[in-house]
Amino acid sequence: MDQYAVFGHPIAHSRSPEIHAWFAAQTHQALEYRAILAPLDDFEGCASAFFAAGGCGANVTVPFKLDALVFCDQLSQRARLAGAVNTLWKDAQGQMHGDNTDGIGLVRDITQQLGVNLAGQRVLLLGAGGAARGAIEPLLKAGVRHLTIANRTLSKAQQLITLFHGVESPAGRQASSWEGLMGEQFDLVINATSASLQGELPPLPEDLFAPQSLAYDMMYAAQPTPFMRWAHQQGAARVADGLGMLVEQAAEAFFLWRGVRPPTAELVHSLRQHMAHTAKVE
C-alpha cells in the first residue's frame, strides 16, 4: 500500500493521520498515512530514510518547514514565495518536489467553507512571519482590492510587501505598524501572529471592522481564541478559526499526491463536534 506521513517535533497531537485516512476512505484510495517524530537535528536523514523505503509523499509541520525547503530538488512558486515547504513528493525520476498548501488552504476555507467572496475585499493580514508569508500570494490571486500587512516591527511588513511585488494582482498593497492602523477599516482581518498560542492579542486599535466583516484566526481550538473573542466584541460580523484551513491545506496536499480532490465540509463539521465534545469531557 502507498505510504505517506507527516513529519514534526512534537507530532503526537497531529490530526493529519485522521484527516488523510478520512480522505482516503471517501475517495476510495488505498494508502497508509502515519505520524513520524523527526529528530530536531536530522530532518533530512529521517525524511530520506522514509522516501528510500518507498514513501510516496509527506507533509511537514513545525519546526521543519524550512528544512523541507532545502531538502527539495524542485519547488513550486507557492513554496518559493512562502519560503517554506509543507508538502513533499518524489517523482518517477527520483526528484523531490516541494509545495506549500497553507495559503491556498486558507483561501479555500474562507471562500468555500465560509462562503466569502474575496474579490474586492479590503484585507488586513496581521503578522509578518511564516504563516503570513504563506498566505500573501493566494490572497492576492483571489482578487482582493487592497492588502495591508501589519506587524509590530514595521520593517518586516515592508519586506514582505517588497518580496511579493512581482505577484500579478490589481490589489493595492501597504505595510503598517499596529499604531498605523488607527482609523482604518477592513472587510477581512486575518490573525497570522502566534499570539493566540500564548492566549494573547496584538495591541490593535479599535474600529478595525467594516460592516459585514470577517475576523479569521489561523489558530484553532475547542473554544474561541482571544482574537476571535476580541473581534466579536469590536463588532466583527463573523469570526472563524483555522480548523477549516487545516483541513483544506491537507486536501490540497492529497490532490497533489493522488490527483483526486477529497470533500472537506463534512470532515470540518465532524472535527468541530469532536473538539467540542472532548472539551466538555475534560
Side-chain angles (χ1 to χ4, degrees):
M1 197 175 290
D2 290 346
Q3 298 293 312
Y4 296 86
V6 57
F7 293 91
H9 193 120
I11 198 60
H13 67 287
S14 175
R15 293 186 177 273
S16 291
E18 176 186 0
I19 290 171
H20 285 280
W22 194 90
F23 287 164
Q26 292 296 310
T27 58
H28 309 290
Q29 297 285 304
L31 60 88
E32 291 183 347
Y33 187 108
R34 59 194 171 100
I36 296 177
L37 180 69
L40 289 174
D41 60 352
D42 193 21
F43 166 80
E44 182 178 353
C46 189
S48 295
F50 170 75
F51 283 102
C56 299
N59 292 126
V60 183
T61 188
V62 176
F64 298 121
K65 292 184 181 183
L66 294 180
D67 298 271
L69 185 78
V70 299
F71 182 67
C72 294
D73 302 303
Q74 302 288 335
L75 293 171
S76 70
Q77 181 182 359
R78 292 189 300 207
R80 285 195 300 272
L81 287 171
V85 161
N86 77 337
T87 303
L88 296 167
W89 68 95
K90 183 183 280 190
D91 67 21
Q93 289 71 46
Q95 293 279 293
M96 188 63 60
H97 292 255
D99 202 344
N100 189 302
T101 66
D102 287 330
I104 194 63
L106 167 73
V107 167
R108 288 212 173 106
D109 186 34
I110 291 172
T111 57
Q112 297 181 19
Q113 301 290 350
L114 301 177
V116 174
N117 182 1
L118 287 174
Q121 296 274 295
R122 296 163 294 172
V123 179
L124 171 60
L125 183 61
L126 303 172
R133 182 168 166 170
I136 295 171
E137 185 205 23
L139 284 170
L140 291 173
K141 291 198 168 181
V144 303
R145 171 155 56 105
H146 195 277
L147 176 65
T148 298
I149 303 172
N151 192 59
R152 177 175 57 86
T153 305
L154 176 60
S155 60
K156 291 185 177 180
Q158 291 170 330
Q159 288 170 6
L160 289 189
I161 294 293
T162 301
L163 179 65
F164 287 85
H165 177 75
V167 176
E168 290 189 15
S169 166
R173 307 161 206 195
Q174 72 180 66
S176 176
S177 62
W178 304 139
E179 298 81 6
L181 296 172
M182 191 74 67
E184 299 278 352
Q185 284 199 329
F186 301 90
D187 304 302
L188 171 62
V189 179
I190 301 170
N191 181 25
T193 74
S194 60
S196 288
L197 293 175
Q198 287 82 44
E200 300 173 351
L201 273 173
L204 300 170
E206 299 180 356
D207 301 323
L208 283 179
F209 299 98
Q212 309 305 314
S213 58
L214 169 65
Y216 190 102
D217 197 333
M218 286 191 181
M219 303 297 125
Y220 67 91
Q223 302 298 326
T225 66
F227 173 76
M228 292 167 66
R229 294 195 300 270
W230 174 84
H232 179 72
Q233 293 167 358
Q234 292 298 318
R238 300 172 67 189
V239 296
D241 69 10
L243 182 64
M245 174 182 172
L246 173 71
V247 173
E248 292 293 345
Q249 64 81 25
E252 179 71 5
F254 192 91
F255 174 74
L256 290 171
W257 295 330
R258 310 296 295 185
V260 177
R261 191 170 296 283
T264 54
E266 183 181 344
L267 179 56
V268 173
H269 179 69
S270 176
L271 289 173
R272 183 78 65 196
Q273 287 188 316
H274 177 73
M275 287 169 58
H277 175 72
T278 302
K280 288 179 181 178
V281 171
E282 293 175 350

